[in-house]
Amino acid sequence: MFDVSAAQAAVARATSSSGRRNIRRKEASDVDDLVADFGFLSVNATARDFHGFTKEMSFARLVLSTSSVEEMPRFSSNALPPRELGRELVQQCLQEIFSLYPVLTDTAIFGSFDAVYQQRPNITASHRWDVRLSFAIALMSRSRSKGDHLYREAVRHTSSALEDAEAVILPGSIASLQAILLLVLYSMLDPSHFDSWYLVGVASRVMADLGLHQDPAEELRLKESHLMLRRRIFSCVYTLDRAISLAFVRAFSFSDDSANVVVTPNDAAHPSFTGWYDNTAEDLRSPSDTPAAQLLGLRQIQSNWYQKAFQSSREALTEPWQTRSSALNAMQSWAKALPKSTPNPLKHLFLSEMFFSNILVLSPPQNASLLCSYGKAVLFDNAVRYSEVTLSMCDTSHSYNCCTKLDIMRSRLVGDALLDILADSPTVIYKALDPQPPPLPAGSVAPPALRHRGFVETIDEAITTIHRIDQILDALEIRFGYPAQYNTFKTKSANTVERLYSKRQHHYMPSMLQANELAFNRPQNEHAIGGSIPDWYHSSIARSYESL
């Protein structure tokens, strides 16, 4: 006798199995396309493609295996924090991270938060992923040293989130791209477990496959909300790719010419994302004043000159000062346009990036000796300012630490550039001459003005700047690890500092210099472990900002 129920069950199983195979085949096809662009991936020569893989290979496993540095530990407990603490962590992530990189809106993240804590029937893997990684990012930003309680809690939440990786890291959807971007943000705070360079490359490739780098044709008549989502996620990929590429001094994942997206301030950030600002700030009146819009503006300036200086196929100019001067002035104009109510931590973050960018503009890829005397003096001035504002970012008295792994790379580059010009240009630096800028064609933007320094003040500032960079790398080594960067710079700078002290011994020392001498002899880790930044550092930062 024919069993109808058994036949229906068999058909259901076959249909379900066929559906799973189709989904897996579609994912495999997407992986085939992506692998073609992964120069770091080696594929077994006997395999024609990835069709037919099961649990041994998936897009999520591919992404995690290529971007992992150390294996993520497993924990016996994956308990959520108390609801009030969880809400506080999400709020911090919104105000201080998503206000700069608006991967998720407040509506989306709090919707996920409520679904997770109320155990709603419609809870998804994406809800758990968003909440766990938001917790991890907020906790990691509060951590003061690698391995402390906050660090371990952040790693625990990330480990829990990765249990849903197979369900959320899938090619072909904006939601999956948002999941990858959250991992990019986390990787900059936990470089011991993930490599941000590989992850942002994956995010860029997924973004391009989704076509987010091109505005859709008007004939498609997309909803305004969907168009804003596309542009907002594109701006997140763009700003992160530029930030990571600049810090590593590597090529961008995609060029400006390949993108055709009109990103307005409204698109760059959700209108409510004032983030760091007090809602009563009088000069915060338009979407262009939001932190995300301000950061996007800086990234566009950086991207323009970086491609000309480092990625152009033309032959290098012997003294391309016109391009450099234009870039320096563009970034200075951007800094002057920042709202006066910009909070100090955000102001220091922006200024640190700007001074680093100025130094990168002035650092020829091959040889520091190619830079003219005036350019070296401008580089020296920017290194002094960079060390002032970046050291303040390492102040552990703040509840929020805005430093990332990228600050290690930036500080080391700034320190090396400073040591190179001190070794290469004793006349310009040691004798404190005021070199004249090179001639520029009529109508060119005027070069930045140099601050006049006497001989003793110049030597003093050179020594102080080296000590500050030494302290920055020391603090970041405690925070993130990577002792090699700190130890290498300390060894490399020792001879330079000794030579500068020797120069100073033969000249009259003003009382100000003697006061600074006391600062050099303070305990090495005073700022790195629980110490606060002295008032004279804050006053010097104020001078740097006011002189823009």
Side-chain angles (χ1 to χ4, degrees), residues 23-283:
I23 292 173
R24 191 169 290 122
R25 182 174 291 272
K26 173 64 169 62
E27 183 180 356
S29 176
D30 292 334
V31 170
D32 287 342
D33 295 337
L34 287 164
V35 166
D37 294 290
F38 289 173
F40 51 81
L41 184 67
S42 176
V43 181
N44 188 328
T46 63
R48 293 180 61 247
D49 52 34
F50 285 98
H51 291 306
F53 69 76
T54 54
K55 65 180 181 179
E56 286 76 18
M57 176 57 70
S58 68
F59 182 63
R61 287 172 181 255
L62 179 67
V63 170
L64 295 176
S65 64
T66 54
S67 62
S68 294
V69 179
E70 295 178 3
E71 185 177 356
M72 184 66 67
R74 294 185 178 275
F75 295 84
S76 58
S77 171
N78 62 351
L80 292 166
R83 186 183 181 92
E84 287 305 313
L85 175 58
R87 180 172 289 275
E88 179 185 325
L89 293 173
V90 168
Q91 191 66 43
Q92 178 189 338
C93 212
L94 274 170
Q95 292 181 341
E96 297 171 348
I97 306 295
F98 294 156
S99 62
L100 291 168
Y101 304 100
V103 176
L104 298 174
T105 64
D106 50 356
T107 303
I109 185 59
F110 278 117
S112 295
F113 178 84
D114 290 337
V116 168
Y117 272 86
Q118 295 175 9
Q119 289 296 307
R120 293 176 179 173
N122 62 343
I123 187 173
T124 65
S126 293
H127 290 148
R128 292 190 293 270
W129 178 273
D130 293 348
V131 170
R132 290 288 188 175
L133 276 181
S134 295
F135 288 168
I137 291 168
L139 288 165
M140 197 61 82
S141 71
R142 294 182 178 186
S143 171
R144 291 296 174 262
S145 64
K146 181 180 177 181
D148 65 13
H149 173 70
L150 294 171
Y151 176 92
R152 294 193 303 273
E153 280 294 287
V155 172
R156 184 176 69 83
H157 285 296
T158 305
S159 179
S160 179
L162 292 178
E163 295 176 5
D164 289 309
E166 294 284 349
V168 297
I169 303 182
L170 299 166
S173 72
I174 293 180
S176 176
L177 178 54
Q178 290 172 294
I180 297 171
L181 288 174
L182 287 177
L183 204 54
V184 175
L185 291 172
Y186 177 80
S187 69
M188 295 193 298
L189 295 166
D190 184 14
S192 296
H193 289 109
F194 293 102
D195 191 315
S196 56
W197 168 252
Y198 288 112
L199 282 171
V200 80
V202 172
S204 298
R205 175 58 184 170
V206 172
M207 178 272 297
D209 280 355
L210 291 170
L212 302 188
H213 63 305
Q214 298 286 328
D215 270 342
E218 293 183 3
E219 292 79 9
L220 295 178
R221 297 182 179 179
L222 294 181
K223 291 183 178 179
E224 186 67 21
S225 59
H226 184 63
L227 189 59
M228 289 182 65
L229 172 64
R230 287 173 57 95
R231 290 172 173 172
R232 179 165 54 82
I233 299 305
F234 168 78
S235 70
C236 288
V237 176
Y238 183 89
T239 51
L240 285 168
D241 179 70
R242 270 42 182 172
I244 293 170
S245 297
L246 285 164
F248 284 88
V249 195
R250 293 176 179 171
F252 295 146
S253 299
F254 57 96
S255 67
D256 288 353
D257 292 339
S258 68
N260 182 25
V261 181
V262 180
V263 182
T264 67
N266 273 324
D267 300 320
H270 193 276
S272 65
F273 277 14
T274 55
W276 303 67
Y277 291 90
D278 184 342
N279 291 329
T280 61
E282 295 182 359
D283 59 339

Side-chain angles (χ1 to χ4, degrees), residues 395-411:
D395 185 354
T396 56
S397 65
H398 297 314
S399 61
Y400 173 67
N401 185 347
C402 52
C403 292
T404 69
K405 189 310 184 48
L406 303 186
D407 291 294
I408 300 177
M409 312 304 293
R410 295 181 186 126
S411 299

Side-chain angles (χ1 to χ4, degrees), residues 276-277 281 283 289 294 337-348 350 545:
W276 303 67
Y277 291 90
D283 59 339
D289 292 325
Q294 294 161 357
L338 291 174
K340 293 181 180 179
S341 60
T342 304
N344 279 336
L346 182 61
K347 182 191 302 180
H348 296 169
F350 281 157
Y545 189 66

Side-chain angles (χ1 to χ4, degrees), residues 396-471:
T396 56
S397 65
H398 297 314
S399 61
Y400 173 67
N401 185 347
C402 52
C403 292
T404 69
K405 189 310 184 48
L406 303 186
D407 291 294
I408 300 177
M409 312 304 293
R410 295 181 186 126
S411 299
R412 179 61 195 277
L413 186 147
V414 171
D416 287 346
L418 176 63
L419 295 180
D420 286 344
I421 63 168
L422 289 174
D424 183 67
S425 309
T427 301
V428 174
I429 304 301
Y430 297 158
K431 292 188 178 179
L433 300 178
D434 290 329
Q436 296 300 310
L440 293 173
S444 300
V445 179
L450 282 174
R451 173 188 165 191
H452 175 76
R453 294 178 176 89
F455 175 84
V456 172
E457 185 182 6
T458 301
I459 297 296
D460 177 53
E461 286 204 316
I463 296 173
T464 303
T465 302
I466 292 173
H467 276 277
R468 287 190 191 125
I469 294 174
D470 185 76
Q471 288 177 316

Side-chain angles (χ1 to χ4, degrees), residues 354-537:
M354 187 196 72
F355 292 137
F356 163 76
S357 299
N358 290 346
I359 291 167
L360 199 55
V361 168
L362 296 164
S363 302
Q366 302 299 328
N367 193 339
S369 62
L370 296 177
L371 190 62
C372 67
S373 297
Y374 177 79
K376 292 172 182 174
V378 175
L379 192 155
F380 177 81
D381 190 62
N382 278 274
V384 172
R385 295 182 175 194
Y386 173 87
S387 69
E388 290 171 347
V389 296
T390 308
L391 182 58
S392 74
M393 290 165 55
C394 299
D395 185 354
T396 56
S397 65
H398 297 314
S399 61
Y400 173 67
N401 185 347
C402 52
C403 292
T404 69
K405 189 310 184 48
L406 303 186
D407 291 294
I408 300 177
M409 312 304 293
R410 295 181 186 126
S411 299
R412 179 61 195 277
L413 186 147
V414 171
D416 287 346
L418 176 63
L419 295 180
D420 286 344
I421 63 168
L422 289 174
D424 183 67
S425 309
T427 301
V428 174
I429 304 301
Y430 297 158
K431 292 188 178 179
L433 300 178
D434 290 329
Q436 296 300 310
L440 293 173
S444 300
V445 179
L450 282 174
R451 173 188 165 191
H452 175 76
R453 294 178 176 89
F455 175 84
V456 172
E457 185 182 6
T458 301
I459 297 296
D460 177 53
E461 286 204 316
I463 296 173
T464 303
T465 302
I466 292 173
H467 276 277
R468 287 190 191 125
I469 294 174
D470 185 76
Q471 288 177 316
I472 292 167
L473 291 172
D474 185 23
L476 295 179
E477 188 275 323
I478 292 172
R479 171 66 184 79
F480 298 107
Y482 294 92
Q485 297 287 348
Y486 167 67
N487 293 332
T488 303
F489 178 78
K490 192 172 185 66
T491 302
K492 185 177 179 180
S493 63
N495 291 335
T496 302
V497 172
E498 184 179 353
R499 188 167 62 250
L500 289 169
Y501 273 119
S502 178
K503 292 281 184 182
R504 234 174 45 167
Q505 288 176 354
H506 299 89
H507 291 267
Y508 168 71
M509 306 296 181
S511 57
M512 177 191 70
L513 191 59
Q514 293 173 359
N516 281 345
E517 183 75 20
L518 297 176
F520 300 148
N521 294 327
R522 61 180 171 268
Q524 184 180 11
N525 291 333
E526 177 183 344
H527 301 316
I529 307 176
S532 60
I533 302 298
D535 292 339
W536 62 273
Y537 272 111

